[in-house]
Amino acid sequence: MNASERLTTPASAAPRRRLLVWLLVAILTSLALGALTASPLTTRLDNIVYDALQRATSRPVDPSILVVEVDEPSLRAMGAWPWPRDVHTQMIDRLSRAGARTIIYDVLFSQPSAVPGEDVALGDAITRSGRVFLPQFIEPGAGESALPQIVGPRPEIARGAAGLGLVHVTFDTDGVVRRMSPFEPLGADLHPDLMTVVHRATHAIDARDITRGAETSLLIPFAGGPDRFARLSFASVLAGEIPAELLAGRTVFVGMTAPGLGPAFPTPVTPDAASMTGVQLQASILNGLRSGTMIRPAGAGSRLAFGLSLLWLLLAGLLVLPPRANLMLVLGLSALALIVSAGLFWQMGIWLSPVATMLGLATVSLVWGWGQLGRVSDLLGRELRRLLPVAQTAPAGGFESDLVARQALSLGAAIHRIEDLRRFSADALFSLPDATLVLDVRRCVVAANAAAQTLLKGYHPYLAGASAASLLNSLEPLGRSFDESWPPEAERIDAIDLHLIDGRAYQSQCVYRRDERGESAGWIVRLADITTLTAAMRQREQALQLLTHDMRSPQTSILALLATTPDLPDEVSERLAACARRTLALADGFVQLARAEVTPVAMEPLDLSDVATEAVDELWPQCRQRRIEIEQDGCDTPQMVLGDRSVLARALVNLIGNAVKYSPEGSHIGVSVRATKADGRGFVDVAISDQGPGLSAEEAATAFRAFQRFDRPGSEAAGGVGLGLAFVEAAAARHGGGVLCSSAPGAGATFTLRLPEYRPD
């Protein structure tokens, strides 16, 4: 997996988790909506919405429907109820003679008349009319296990009726009458409602009959209150006060409307709980059947499909839309549910309650909103903990009681400070004197300071988005090109010197960056102008060349000439030879010091005890000549360091050589090698002790300066150039160590070379 893939993996995990959470919420809320749709929990709210739609609807009334009321004026004129059967016989005959098309006589004649012959006379009148429909009632059984019984008119009365039917009233759970059943089940049989019988007997042949459908229950489309239908007083009709043409061709309902005389039922359109009588209710049902406006309740499948379609639209919006747009979407879908429900109710006669759908939409939006709010709070908390040093600044604006608001304010304050830091970093980057590029994980430039733009704009017109390799190749460095995989993903990247054709020189230095998770975050590339330094190094090399060749060759020739010219006086020859040898020593010392300071060292694991032993062996002839004994301590124990063998050998030869030069004849020199600890780190010390004249504190402090000499009478070191100890110090510094001097006048001196201990992993 490359760096870009590692970077995109954590970022892509969050959307996947969010999608899984969304899918889980969608499934659970869909199941909850299905359960809510099938349950009666929303029935009361459904009824409230339904009743409001009923009251807001204005429906036409069948002008042929006429209600003949047994009202209070009739009771005053004809006496208390019940009336004799011959009164009803007279009413049926009068309505029939007047030409009434249909007579629905909403009076139950289930008990025999007290006057013999009246029942037969009433039955004859019904038979003569041939258009009278009589009611039946359902009476509960005598016992708990007994089936209900149908109670109808006496046989001698019902024998000539045009039809019989039930006038059973169905109440909803809140006690309001909203529906009728075309057929009532009673045992294994279905018994028709009286209005079903009347409608089937009187409707046009080509008209649609909703009672023949699969619906077992129909909602009544009330045209309004009881006063919407034409009404006549029973006494007025019986007295002949009503012209026959007002009755001809009409569907006449005869029933009781006087208060307290018969049952009254609460309906969605009545202003109180007991204002629509049975005969008025039957008239409303027949009006709905004839007009084809009976309302069919939507099935469970239709209600569920309707609710789920809007729910999934909302869920899709929750997944892709911002919170404010989702709020508008919830309100819009809720309004749409209400509009669709009202439209189906008014235009198609279908009752599809929007309550369960609206509750489902509101619940989902709340659950998702709470979940997202919790997610935002957790995210803000994590970011604040991650930015804890920056987020310590209290947000402006005073105290805020809401947790998320406090987190948002704190994060805003932290972001403001981070923005200040970013501007500071950008200003610092732009103010750097060296050309500096910031690369992303694709090795493309995301930021470049002014020096980089000045350097590279002339070679590459577009810095932003360009690869680092293409930018460096555009400089056309001599003898070098970069491929697109540069710079490498490495903690240590070696500096690269770039020499341009116009004589300029730059050194490329790279820093590999990682983020807080330890993954690649890009690179910072610095192009330092080393033109002047390169020129100085070239001059230094020329000076070294001058010393090593142009100065050494004449001095060597002088020594050779002196050796082959015996005629010169001895004093002159010796003085010339001493000057030549001094000049050679000065050149050699200066070259060694210069190379020790700047020449790269070839680091390798080596045994410093072995190097010390080799240095002692190299100086053994001089020691023997002066009868100086070298005592070695610890040189037989391996002490590993990481260094350049030739440089360290020269440094030890210089230290031991100085001890030999300054020590009197017949004295002792100690060379010890041992491991030590300093500042919690391991080191290897090589200590060279002599019995020479020693150094004062001031001399010991300046002993390692170049060209510093301390001449002692009779010392072999007289005439030295003072570069040996400077070389030792430079060599120790190049190896990460140091050199120490411990001495006192007349007590000899101890020089200690200290190098870091090497421990292979």
Side-chain angles (χ1 to χ4, degrees), residues 455-456 459 470-478 498-501 504 506 527:
L455 172 63
L456 298 170
Y459 298 91
S470 65
L471 290 176
L472 295 186
N473 288 332
S474 67
L475 295 175
E476 298 181 356
L478 299 175
L498 306 177
H499 298 275
L500 308 187
I501 194 170
R504 289 179 298 166
Y506 294 90
L527 296 174

mmCIF file with all atom_site columns, all heavy atoms in Angstrom, residues 455-456 459 470-478 498-501 504 506 527:
data_model
loop_
_atom_site.group_PDB
_atom_site.id
_atom_site.type_symbol
_atom_site.label_atom_id
_atom_site.label_alt_id
_atom_site.label_comp_id
_atom_site.label_asym_id
_atom_site.label_entity_id
_atom_site.label_seq_id
_atom_site.pdbx_PDB_ins_code
_atom_site.Cartn_x
_atom_site.Cartn_y
_atom_site.Cartn_z
_atom_site.occupancy
_atom_site.B_iso_or_equiv
_atom_site.pdbx_formal_charge
_atom_site.auth_seq_id
_atom_site.auth_comp_id
_atom_site.auth_asym_id
_atom_site.auth_atom_id
_atom_site.pdbx_PDB_model_num
ATOM 1   N N   . LEU A 1 455 ? 13.501 31.786 -7.918  1.00 0.00 ? 455 LEU A N   1
ATOM 2   C CA  . LEU A 1 455 ? 14.465 30.860 -8.509  1.00 0.00 ? 455 LEU A CA  1
ATOM 3   C C   . LEU A 1 455 ? 13.856 30.039 -9.637  1.00 0.00 ? 455 LEU A C   1
ATOM 4   O O   . LEU A 1 455 ? 14.470 29.881 -10.702 1.00 0.00 ? 455 LEU A O   1
ATOM 5   C CB  . LEU A 1 455 ? 15.009 29.930 -7.420  1.00 0.00 ? 455 LEU A CB  1
ATOM 6   C CG  . LEU A 1 455 ? 15.890 28.761 -7.895  1.00 0.00 ? 455 LEU A CG  1
ATOM 7   C CD1 . LEU A 1 455 ? 17.152 29.284 -8.567  1.00 0.00 ? 455 LEU A CD1 1
ATOM 8   C CD2 . LEU A 1 455 ? 16.230 27.839 -6.731  1.00 0.00 ? 455 LEU A CD2 1
ATOM 9   N N   . LEU A 1 456 ? 12.621 29.529 -9.440  1.00 0.00 ? 456 LEU A N   1
ATOM 10  C CA  . LEU A 1 456 ? 12.078 28.511 -10.341 1.00 0.00 ? 456 LEU A CA  1
ATOM 11  C C   . LEU A 1 456 ? 11.098 29.038 -11.377 1.00 0.00 ? 456 LEU A C   1
ATOM 12  O O   . LEU A 1 456 ? 10.814 28.339 -12.350 1.00 0.00 ? 456 LEU A O   1
ATOM 13  C CB  . LEU A 1 456 ? 11.399 27.411 -9.521  1.00 0.00 ? 456 LEU A CB  1
ATOM 14  C CG  . LEU A 1 456 ? 12.307 26.644 -8.561  1.00 0.00 ? 456 LEU A CG  1
ATOM 15  C CD1 . LEU A 1 456 ? 11.492 25.759 -7.644  1.00 0.00 ? 456 LEU A CD1 1
ATOM 16  C CD2 . LEU A 1 456 ? 13.318 25.813 -9.351  1.00 0.00 ? 456 LEU A CD2 1
ATOM 17  N N   . TYR A 1 459 ? 12.120 28.957 -14.924 1.00 0.00 ? 459 TYR A N   1
ATOM 18  C CA  . TYR A 1 459 ? 12.321 27.647 -15.535 1.00 0.00 ? 459 TYR A CA  1
ATOM 19  C C   . TYR A 1 459 ? 11.009 26.874 -15.682 1.00 0.00 ? 459 TYR A C   1
ATOM 20  O O   . TYR A 1 459 ? 10.862 26.065 -16.599 1.00 0.00 ? 459 TYR A O   1
ATOM 21  C CB  . TYR A 1 459 ? 13.295 26.819 -14.685 1.00 0.00 ? 459 TYR A CB  1
ATOM 22  C CG  . TYR A 1 459 ? 14.662 27.429 -14.568 1.00 0.00 ? 459 TYR A CG  1
ATOM 23  C CD1 . TYR A 1 459 ? 14.973 28.290 -13.522 1.00 0.00 ? 459 TYR A CD1 1
ATOM 24  C CD2 . TYR A 1 459 ? 15.652 27.150 -15.516 1.00 0.00 ? 459 TYR A CD2 1
ATOM 25  C CE1 . TYR A 1 459 ? 16.236 28.865 -13.414 1.00 0.00 ? 459 TYR A CE1 1
ATOM 26  C CE2 . TYR A 1 459 ? 16.924 27.714 -15.405 1.00 0.00 ? 459 TYR A CE2 1
ATOM 27  C CZ  . TYR A 1 459 ? 17.206 28.574 -14.357 1.00 0.00 ? 459 TYR A CZ  1
ATOM 28  O OH  . TYR A 1 459 ? 18.445 29.126 -14.255 1.00 0.00 ? 459 TYR A OH  1
ATOM 29  N N   . SER A 1 470 ? 10.287 17.382 -11.517 1.00 0.00 ? 470 SER A N   1
ATOM 30  C CA  . SER A 1 470 ? 10.242 18.202 -12.728 1.00 0.00 ? 470 SER A CA  1
ATOM 31  C C   . SER A 1 470 ? 10.817 19.587 -12.483 1.00 0.00 ? 470 SER A C   1
ATOM 32  O O   . SER A 1 470 ? 11.474 20.163 -13.369 1.00 0.00 ? 470 SER A O   1
ATOM 33  C CB  . SER A 1 470 ? 8.804  18.292 -13.239 1.00 0.00 ? 470 SER A CB  1
ATOM 34  O OG  . SER A 1 470 ? 7.982  18.989 -12.301 1.00 0.00 ? 470 SER A OG  1
ATOM 35  N N   . LEU A 1 471 ? 10.586 20.155 -11.292 1.00 0.00 ? 471 LEU A N   1
ATOM 36  C CA  . LEU A 1 471 ? 11.131 21.479 -10.990 1.00 0.00 ? 471 LEU A CA  1
ATOM 37  C C   . LEU A 1 471 ? 12.658 21.450 -10.938 1.00 0.00 ? 471 LEU A C   1
ATOM 38  O O   . LEU A 1 471 ? 13.324 22.331 -11.496 1.00 0.00 ? 471 LEU A O   1
ATOM 39  C CB  . LEU A 1 471 ? 10.558 21.980 -9.669  1.00 0.00 ? 471 LEU A CB  1
ATOM 40  C CG  . LEU A 1 471 ? 9.069  22.366 -9.670  1.00 0.00 ? 471 LEU A CG  1
ATOM 41  C CD1 . LEU A 1 471 ? 8.626  22.752 -8.271  1.00 0.00 ? 471 LEU A CD1 1
ATOM 42  C CD2 . LEU A 1 471 ? 8.804  23.501 -10.642 1.00 0.00 ? 471 LEU A CD2 1
ATOM 43  N N   . LEU A 1 472 ? 13.207 20.443 -10.261 1.00 0.00 ? 472 LEU A N   1
ATOM 44  C CA  . LEU A 1 472 ? 14.674 20.365 -10.179 1.00 0.00 ? 472 LEU A CA  1
ATOM 45  C C   . LEU A 1 472 ? 15.285 20.045 -11.532 1.00 0.00 ? 472 LEU A C   1
ATOM 46  O O   . LEU A 1 472 ? 16.360 20.561 -11.878 1.00 0.00 ? 472 LEU A O   1
ATOM 47  C CB  . LEU A 1 472 ? 15.077 19.330 -9.137  1.00 0.00 ? 472 LEU A CB  1
ATOM 48  C CG  . LEU A 1 472 ? 14.687 19.652 -7.682  1.00 0.00 ? 472 LEU A CG  1
ATOM 49  C CD1 . LEU A 1 472 ? 15.269 18.618 -6.733  1.00 0.00 ? 472 LEU A CD1 1
ATOM 50  C CD2 . LEU A 1 472 ? 15.136 21.041 -7.291  1.00 0.00 ? 472 LEU A CD2 1
ATOM 51  N N   . ASN A 1 473 ? 14.624 19.197 -12.316 1.00 0.00 ? 473 ASN A N   1
ATOM 52  C CA  . ASN A 1 473 ? 15.150 18.892 -13.654 1.00 0.00 ? 473 ASN A CA  1
ATOM 53  C C   . ASN A 1 473 ? 15.112 20.113 -14.554 1.00 0.00 ? 473 ASN A C   1
ATOM 54  O O   . ASN A 1 473 ? 15.929 20.243 -15.481 1.00 0.00 ? 473 ASN A O   1
ATOM 55  C CB  . ASN A 1 473 ? 14.361 17.753 -14.289 1.00 0.00 ? 473 ASN A CB  1
ATOM 56  C CG  . ASN A 1 473 ? 14.660 16.406 -13.640 1.00 0.00 ? 473 ASN A CG  1
ATOM 57  O OD1 . ASN A 1 473 ? 15.754 16.201 -13.105 1.00 0.00 ? 473 ASN A OD1 1
ATOM 58  N ND2 . ASN A 1 473 ? 13.699 15.504 -13.673 1.00 0.00 ? 473 ASN A ND2 1
ATOM 59  N N   . SER A 1 474 ? 14.153 21.032 -14.310 1.00 0.00 ? 474 SER A N   1
ATOM 60  C CA  . SER A 1 474 ? 14.078 22.233 -15.144 1.00 0.00 ? 474 SER A CA  1
ATOM 61  C C   . SER A 1 474 ? 15.290 23.136 -14.939 1.00 0.00 ? 474 SER A C   1
ATOM 62  O O   . SER A 1 474 ? 15.612 23.944 -15.806 1.00 0.00 ? 474 SER A O   1
ATOM 63  C CB  . SER A 1 474 ? 12.795 23.000 -14.829 1.00 0.00 ? 474 SER A CB  1
ATOM 64  O OG  . SER A 1 474 ? 12.824 23.531 -13.507 1.00 0.00 ? 474 SER A OG  1
ATOM 65  N N   . LEU A 1 475 ? 15.981 23.006 -13.791 1.00 0.00 ? 475 LEU A N   1
ATOM 66  C CA  . LEU A 1 475 ? 17.201 23.779 -13.569 1.00 0.00 ? 475 LEU A CA  1
ATOM 67  C C   . LEU A 1 475 ? 18.373 23.258 -14.392 1.00 0.00 ? 475 LEU A C   1
ATOM 68  O O   . LEU A 1 475 ? 19.391 23.946 -14.509 1.00 0.00 ? 475 LEU A O   1
ATOM 69  C CB  . LEU A 1 475 ? 17.573 23.743 -12.081 1.00 0.00 ? 475 LEU A CB  1
ATOM 70  C CG  . LEU A 1 475 ? 16.590 24.408 -11.111 1.00 0.00 ? 475 LEU A CG  1
ATOM 71  C CD1 . LEU A 1 475 ? 17.025 24.174 -9.671  1.00 0.00 ? 475 LEU A CD1 1
ATOM 72  C CD2 . LEU A 1 475 ? 16.475 25.895 -11.391 1.00 0.00 ? 475 LEU A CD2 1
ATOM 73  N N   . GLU A 1 476 ? 18.229 22.043 -14.947 1.00 0.00 ? 476 GLU A N   1
ATOM 74  C CA  . GLU A 1 476 ? 19.266 21.395 -15.756 1.00 0.00 ? 476 GLU A CA  1
ATOM 75  C C   . GLU A 1 476 ? 20.592 21.322 -15.000 1.00 0.00 ? 476 GLU A C   1
ATOM 76  O O   . GLU A 1 476 ? 21.624 21.855 -15.432 1.00 0.00 ? 476 GLU A O   1
ATOM 77  C CB  . GLU A 1 476 ? 19.458 22.129 -17.081 1.00 0.00 ? 476 GLU A CB  1
ATOM 78  C CG  . GLU A 1 476 ? 18.211 22.133 -17.944 1.00 0.00 ? 476 GLU A CG  1
ATOM 79  C CD  . GLU A 1 476 ? 18.416 22.840 -19.280 1.00 0.00 ? 476 GLU A CD  1
ATOM 80  O OE1 . GLU A 1 476 ? 19.532 23.401 -19.478 1.00 0.00 ? 476 GLU A OE1 1
ATOM 81  O OE2 . GLU A 1 476 ? 17.496 22.819 -20.108 1.00 0.00 ? 476 GLU A OE2 1
ATOM 82  N N   . PRO A 1 477 ? 20.580 20.654 -13.820 1.00 0.00 ? 477 PRO A N   1
ATOM 83  C CA  . PRO A 1 477 ? 21.842 20.521 -13.076 1.00 0.00 ? 477 PRO A CA  1
ATOM 84  C C   . PRO A 1 477 ? 22.821 19.643 -13.842 1.00 0.00 ? 477 PRO A C   1
ATOM 85  O O   . PRO A 1 477 ? 22.441 18.687 -14.522 1.00 0.00 ? 477 PRO A O   1
ATOM 86  C CB  . PRO A 1 477 ? 21.395 19.875 -11.763 1.00 0.00 ? 477 PRO A CB  1
ATOM 87  C CG  . PRO A 1 477 ? 20.128 19.161 -12.097 1.00 0.00 ? 477 PRO A CG  1
ATOM 88  C CD  . PRO A 1 477 ? 19.468 19.968 -13.160 1.00 0.00 ? 477 PRO A CD  1
ATOM 89  N N   . LEU A 1 478 ? 24.115 19.985 -13.737 1.00 0.00 ? 478 LEU A N   1
ATOM 90  C CA  . LEU A 1 478 ? 25.152 19.255 -14.467 1.00 0.00 ? 478 LEU A CA  1
ATOM 91  C C   . LEU A 1 478 ? 25.312 17.852 -13.902 1.00 0.00 ? 478 LEU A C   1
ATOM 92  O O   . LEU A 1 478 ? 25.510 17.661 -12.706 1.00 0.00 ? 478 LEU A O   1
ATOM 93  C CB  . LEU A 1 478 ? 26.477 20.019 -14.382 1.00 0.00 ? 478 LEU A CB  1
ATOM 94  C CG  . LEU A 1 478 ? 26.478 21.432 -14.995 1.00 0.00 ? 478 LEU A CG  1
ATOM 95  C CD1 . LEU A 1 478 ? 27.813 22.118 -14.734 1.00 0.00 ? 478 LEU A CD1 1
ATOM 96  C CD2 . LEU A 1 478 ? 26.185 21.362 -16.485 1.00 0.00 ? 478 LEU A CD2 1
ATOM 97  N N   . LEU A 1 498 ? 23.732 20.621 -6.390  1.00 0.00 ? 498 LEU A N   1
ATOM 98  C CA  . LEU A 1 498 ? 23.335 20.845 -7.780  1.00 0.00 ? 498 LEU A CA  1
ATOM 99  C C   . LEU A 1 498 ? 24.174 21.979 -8.349  1.00 0.00 ? 498 LEU A C   1
ATOM 100 O O   . LEU A 1 498 ? 24.149 23.105 -7.829  1.00 0.00 ? 498 LEU A O   1
ATOM 101 C CB  . LEU A 1 498 ? 21.844 21.212 -7.861  1.00 0.00 ? 498 LEU A CB  1
ATOM 102 C CG  . LEU A 1 498 ? 20.852 20.258 -7.190  1.00 0.00 ? 498 LEU A CG  1
ATOM 103 C CD1 . LEU A 1 498 ? 19.440 20.808 -7.301  1.00 0.00 ? 498 LEU A CD1 1
ATOM 104 C CD2 . LEU A 1 498 ? 20.944 18.876 -7.817  1.00 0.00 ? 498 LEU A CD2 1
ATOM 105 N N   . HIS A 1 499 ? 24.923 21.698 -9.396  1.00 0.00 ? 499 HIS A N   1
ATOM 106 C CA  . HIS A 1 499 ? 25.765 22.696 -10.054 1.00 0.00 ? 499 HIS A CA  1
ATOM 107 C C   . HIS A 1 499 ? 25.138 23.038 -11.391 1.00 0.00 ? 499 HIS A C   1
ATOM 108 O O   . HIS A 1 499 ? 24.927 22.144 -12.243 1.00 0.00 ? 499 HIS A O   1
ATOM 109 C CB  . HIS A 1 499 ? 27.185 22.175 -10.234 1.00 0.00 ? 499 HIS A CB  1
ATOM 110 C CG  . HIS A 1 499 ? 27.879 21.879 -8.936  1.00 0.00 ? 499 HIS A CG  1
ATOM 111 N ND1 . HIS A 1 499 ? 28.551 22.829 -8.198  1.00 0.00 ? 499 HIS A ND1 1
ATOM 112 C CD2 . HIS A 1 499 ? 27.974 20.712 -8.222  1.00 0.00 ? 499 HIS A CD2 1
ATOM 113 C CE1 . HIS A 1 499 ? 29.044 22.286 -7.100  1.00 0.00 ? 499 HIS A CE1 1
ATOM 114 N NE2 . HIS A 1 499 ? 28.703 20.992 -7.081  1.00 0.00 ? 499 HIS A NE2 1
ATOM 115 N N   . LEU A 1 500 ? 24.803 24.310 -11.577 1.00 0.00 ? 500 LEU A N   1
ATOM 116 C CA  . LEU A 1 500 ? 24.145 24.747 -12.794 1.00 0.00 ? 500 LEU A CA  1
ATOM 117 C C   . LEU A 1 500 ? 25.174 25.189 -13.822 1.00 0.00 ? 500 LEU A C   1
ATOM 118 O O   . LEU A 1 500 ? 26.342 25.495 -13.500 1.00 0.00 ? 500 LEU A O   1
ATOM 119 C CB  . LEU A 1 500 ? 23.167 25.881 -12.489 1.00 0.00 ? 500 LEU A CB  1
ATOM 120 C CG  . LEU A 1 500 ? 22.146 25.610 -11.371 1.00 0.00 ? 500 LEU A CG  1
ATOM 121 C CD1 . LEU A 1 500 ? 21.136 26.749 -11.308 1.00 0.00 ? 500 LEU A CD1 1
ATOM 122 C CD2 . LEU A 1 500 ? 21.456 24.285 -11.567 1.00 0.00 ? 500 LEU A CD2 1
ATOM 123 N N   . ILE A 1 501 ? 24.700 25.262 -15.069 1.00 0.00 ? 501 ILE A N   1
ATOM 124 C CA  . ILE A 1 501 ? 25.607 25.575 -16.174 1.00 0.00 ? 501 ILE A CA  1
ATOM 125 C C   . ILE A 1 501 ? 26.119 27.006 -16.092 1.00 0.00 ? 501 ILE A C   1
ATOM 126 O O   . ILE A 1 501 ? 27.183 27.332 -16.625 1.00 0.00 ? 501 ILE A O   1
ATOM 127 C CB  . ILE A 1 501 ? 24.882 25.318 -17.519 1.00 0.00 ? 501 ILE A CB  1
ATOM 128 C CG1 . ILE A 1 501 ? 25.897 25.305 -18.659 1.00 0.00 ? 501 ILE A CG1 1
ATOM 129 C CG2 . ILE A 1 501 ? 23.782 26.342 -17.745 1.00 0.00 ? 501 ILE A CG2 1
ATOM 130 C CD1 . ILE A 1 501 ? 25.306 24.829 -19.962 1.00 0.00 ? 501 ILE A CD1 1
ATOM 131 N N   . ARG A 1 504 ? 26.230 28.780 -10.896 1.00 0.00 ? 504 ARG A N   1
ATOM 132 C CA  . ARG A 1 504 ? 25.589 28.764 -9.586  1.00 0.00 ? 504 ARG A CA  1
ATOM 133 C C   . ARG A 1 504 ? 25.540 27.341 -9.036  1.00 0.00 ? 504 ARG A C   1
ATOM 134 O O   . ARG A 1 504 ? 25.534 26.370 -9.801  1.00 0.00 ? 504 ARG A O   1
ATOM 135 C CB  . ARG A 1 504 ? 24.178 29.328 -9.657  1.00 0.00 ? 504 ARG A CB  1
ATOM 136 C CG  . ARG A 1 504 ? 24.111 30.837 -9.887  1.00 0.00 ? 504 ARG A CG  1
ATOM 137 C CD  . ARG A 1 504 ? 22.672 31.294 -9.962  1.00 0.00 ? 504 ARG A CD  1
ATOM 138 N NE  . ARG A 1 504 ? 21.974 30.684 -11.088 1.00 0.00 ? 504 ARG A NE  1
ATOM 139 C CZ  . ARG A 1 504 ? 20.655 30.701 -11.236 1.00 0.00 ? 504 ARG A CZ  1
ATOM 140 N NH1 . ARG A 1 504 ? 19.895 31.284 -10.305 1.00 0.00 ? 504 ARG A NH1 1
ATOM 141 N NH2 . ARG A 1 504 ? 20.095 30.135 -12.289 1.00 0.00 ? 504 ARG A NH2 1
ATOM 142 N N   . TYR A 1 506 ? 23.579 24.943 -5.810  1.00 0.00 ? 506 TYR A N   1
ATOM 143 C CA  . TYR A 1 506 ? 22.553 24.848 -4.777  1.00 0.00 ? 506 TYR A CA  1
ATOM 144 C C   . TYR A 1 506 ? 22.662 23.477 -4.109  1.00 0.00 ? 506 TYR A C   1
ATOM 145 O O   . TYR A 1 506 ? 23.045 22.493 -4.758  1.00 0.00 ? 506 TYR A O   1
ATOM 146 C CB  . TYR A 1 506 ? 21.147 25.021 -5.359  1.00 0.00 ? 506 TYR A CB  1
ATOM 147 C CG  . TYR A 1 506 ? 20.887 26.400 -5.901  1.00 0.00 ? 506 TYR A CG  1
ATOM 148 C CD1 . TYR A 1 506 ? 21.164 26.707 -7.227  1.00 0.00 ? 506 TYR A CD1 1
ATOM 149 C CD2 . TYR A 1 506 ? 20.376 27.397 -5.077  1.00 0.00 ? 506 TYR A CD2 1
ATOM 150 C CE1 . TYR A 1 506 ? 20.937 27.981 -7.723  1.00 0.00 ? 506 TYR A CE1 1
ATOM 151 C CE2 . TYR A 1 506 ? 20.138 28.673 -5.571  1.00 0.00 ? 506 TYR A CE2 1
ATOM 152 C CZ  . TYR A 1 506 ? 20.427 28.956 -6.895  1.00 0.00 ? 506 TYR A CZ  1
ATOM 153 O OH  . TYR A 1 506 ? 20.198 30.207 -7.375  1.00 0.00 ? 506 TYR A OH  1
ATOM 154 N N   . LEU A 1 527 ? 16.348 24.536 -1.020  1.00 0.00 ? 527 LEU A N   1
ATOM 155 C CA  . LEU A 1 527 ? 17.440 24.717 -1.971  1.00 0.00 ? 527 LEU A CA  1
ATOM 156 C C   . LEU A 1 527 ? 18.299 25.876 -1.476  1.00 0.00 ? 527 LEU A C   1
ATOM 157 O O   . LEU A 1 527 ? 17.922 27.055 -1.628  1.00 0.00 ? 527 LEU A O   1
ATOM 158 C CB  . LEU A 1 527 ? 16.898 25.003 -3.376  1.00 0.00 ? 527 LEU A CB  1
ATOM 159 C CG  . LEU A 1 527 ? 16.085 23.872 -4.036  1.00 0.00 ? 527 LEU A CG  1
ATOM 160 C CD1 . LEU A 1 527 ? 15.499 24.344 -5.344  1.00 0.00 ? 527 LEU A CD1 1
ATOM 161 C CD2 . LEU A 1 527 ? 16.948 22.639 -4.246  1.00 0.00 ? 527 LEU A CD2 1
#
